[in-house]
Amino acid sequence: MAVERTLSIIKPDATERNITGKIIDKLESAGLRVVAQKRVRWSQAEAEAFYGVHRERPFFNDLVAFMTSGPIVMQVLEGENAVATNREVMGATNPADAAAGTIRKEYAVNIEANSVHGSDSAENAAAEISMCFADSELVG
Ligand code: CMP
């Protein structure tokens, strides 16, 4: 299996509860390595651009409001099969459906405040990484 990279975001519900370290521990324990990381607060325009694919969904405005409600931690994770590994560790989008031991089962509040985002394909990972980081910020 190839080494690949994926984009991970720790969402405002998790930064607010001061549990970013607990979440990163789960990711690292699964064999993923943080090769880029920054804590930022998104503007409305940045959140709308990042989640542009969901623009027509009924939850879009609430999602943008939530993602701009506090700081987030953006990170690039690297490892074998990183996209799938990250999604496995995150668990299902809705914490009610998430498997035991996953980040969302343990920490998510609800389907919106679900603590983490992770790219859903290698193609989207590349696009999301380039939206959030300059090449020079991928430091290994
Ligand atoms: P994320 O992986 O960040 O991608 C889009 C986000 O929209 C998703 O996680 C959820 O937090 C949020 N969301 C809110 N409501 C819904 C919904 N009904 N279905 C899917 N995603 C939702």
Side-chain angles (χ1 to χ4, degrees):
M1 202 108 11
V3 171
E4 59 183 15
R5 288 177 169 177
T6 190
L7 185 83
S8 162
I9 298 177
I10 302 178
K11 297 188 179 185
D13 65 284
T15 57
E16 204 272 332
R17 285 176 289 153
N18 206 28
I19 55 171
T20 61
K22 290 185 167 126
I23 289 172
I24 293 165
D25 179 48
K26 279 198 176 285
L27 298 169
E28 291 179 338
S29 296
L32 296 165
R33 175 173 288 273
V34 177
V35 297
Q37 190 177 59
K38 58 186 171 185
R39 188 177 181 105
V40 301
R41 179 134 183 198
W42 268 347
S43 66
Q44 182 167 334
E46 286 171 320
E48 286 178 353
F50 184 85
Y51 279 117
V53 65
H54 294 305
R55 195 170 290 274
E56 304 305 324
R57 306 284 287 273
F59 57 81
F60 180 72
N61 289 342
D62 285 345
L63 174 62
V64 169
F66 169 64
M67 291 300 291
T68 56
S69 68
I72 60 173
V73 176
M74 306 192 298
Q75 45 197 5
V76 178
L77 306 175
E78 184 179 272
E80 295 280 332
N81 213 12
V83 172
T85 301
N86 182 39
R87 291 180 70 77
E88 208 175 302
V89 180
M90 289 195 302
T93 305
N94 187 343
D97 302 327
T102 61
I103 292 168
R104 284 167 170 163
K105 184 65 174 184
E106 290 194 13
Y107 301 120
V109 179
N110 54 47
I111 195 169
E112 177 178 272
N114 64 354
S115 300
V116 279
H117 166 82
S119 310
D120 63 3
S121 66
E123 190 184 13
N124 285 340
E128 291 179 358
I129 289 169
S130 66
M131 283 175 80
C132 297
F133 289 93
D135 282 349
S136 60
E137 294 176 311
L138 305 175
V139 291

